[in-house]
Amino acid sequence: MISQTTEYALRAVVYLADQDGARTTAMIAQATHVPAGYLSKVMQALSRAELVQSQRGLRGGFSLRRRPESLTALEVINAIDPIQRFHTCPVNLHGEALCPLHRRLDEAGRLVEETFGDTTIADMIRDTGGSKPLCQRPTDDAGSSGDAAARSLSSRPTTDPDQHSTLAT
């Protein structure tokens, strides 16, 4: 449904939303189980989209530009890899009219956009079900419920940025 790169961006944004102060790329990578080298590129894209800001210096790193209550999951997704919509038939068999297949695909895209557009980053943090979404809690130690989620995430392949996955919230 969304690319691995987009999931990485969502993990990073959710993590930053739950932190006080800036966090370095290394800190974000460790907490979210995202390869640090690739995370740097993701953070640059989020910075260009003005969703995060970077600070240099001793207490430098990345932080959100906006409050989690005003930032939607859709804004993060659109900054990295927008959801595909169909406005005309992509194979030019039906002219501008959408065939039944592409009409249904476009409707699915619309529903996904609507759902992510109605979901703020704050919603994702609040609706935890006992664990933090998309990343390991910094205060978790071995044996906690958050550690089980982290083990689950770490068992997933995370080195192929072109791999697509579904977002588990």
Side-chain angles (χ1 to χ4, degrees):
M1 180 184 306
I2 62 172
S3 69
Q4 187 72 54
T5 304
T6 302
E7 183 174 335
Y8 289 169
L10 283 165
R11 288 187 206 179
V13 168
V14 167
Y15 173 75
L16 289 174
D18 201 34
Q19 304 302 304
D20 291 324
R23 295 293 186 260
T24 66
T25 302
M27 294 166 81
I28 299 167
Q30 181 180 15
T32 61
H33 300 275
V34 175
Y38 199 76
L39 182 63
S40 293
K41 295 175 184 176
V42 171
M43 298 309 293
Q44 288 173 5
L46 292 172
S47 182
R48 280 191 302 274
E50 298 184 352
L51 299 180
V52 299
Q53 60 190 2
S54 61
Q55 299 169 218
R56 294 179 184 251
L58 184 59
R59 293 195 172 98
F62 289 95
S63 59
L64 292 182
R65 283 188 176 264
R66 297 185 2 222
R67 297 179 45 81
E69 296 82 9
S70 69
L71 179 59
T72 67
L74 184 61
E75 290 174 285
V76 177
I77 292 166
N78 284 339
I80 303 298
D81 188 16
I83 295 165
Q84 184 175 357
R85 296 287 307 270
F86 297 94
H87 302 289
T88 61
C89 183
V91 291
N92 292 324
L93 295 178
H94 311 288
E96 291 189 20
L98 293 177
C99 66
L101 169 65
H102 291 112
R103 190 171 39 253
R104 283 178 177 78
L105 289 171
D106 186 60
E107 176 64 12
R110 185 191 65 76
L111 291 171
V112 169
E113 279 184 339
E114 185 177 300
T115 299
F116 284 132
D118 290 341
T119 303
T120 68
I121 300 303
D123 293 335
M124 295 172 78
I125 293 170
R126 278 193 301 265
D127 184 19
T128 63
S131 65
K132 293 291 179 185
L134 308 176
C135 59
Q136 179 180 1
R137 292 179 66 170
T139 57
D140 283 345
D141 42 8
S144 70
S145 63
D147 193 49
R151 282 193 305 275
S152 171
L153 278 174
S154 65
S155 67
R156 294 174 54 189
T158 58
T159 56
D160 183 0
D162 295 323
Q163 179 181 354
H164 285 67
S165 67
T166 56
L167 176 66
T169 57

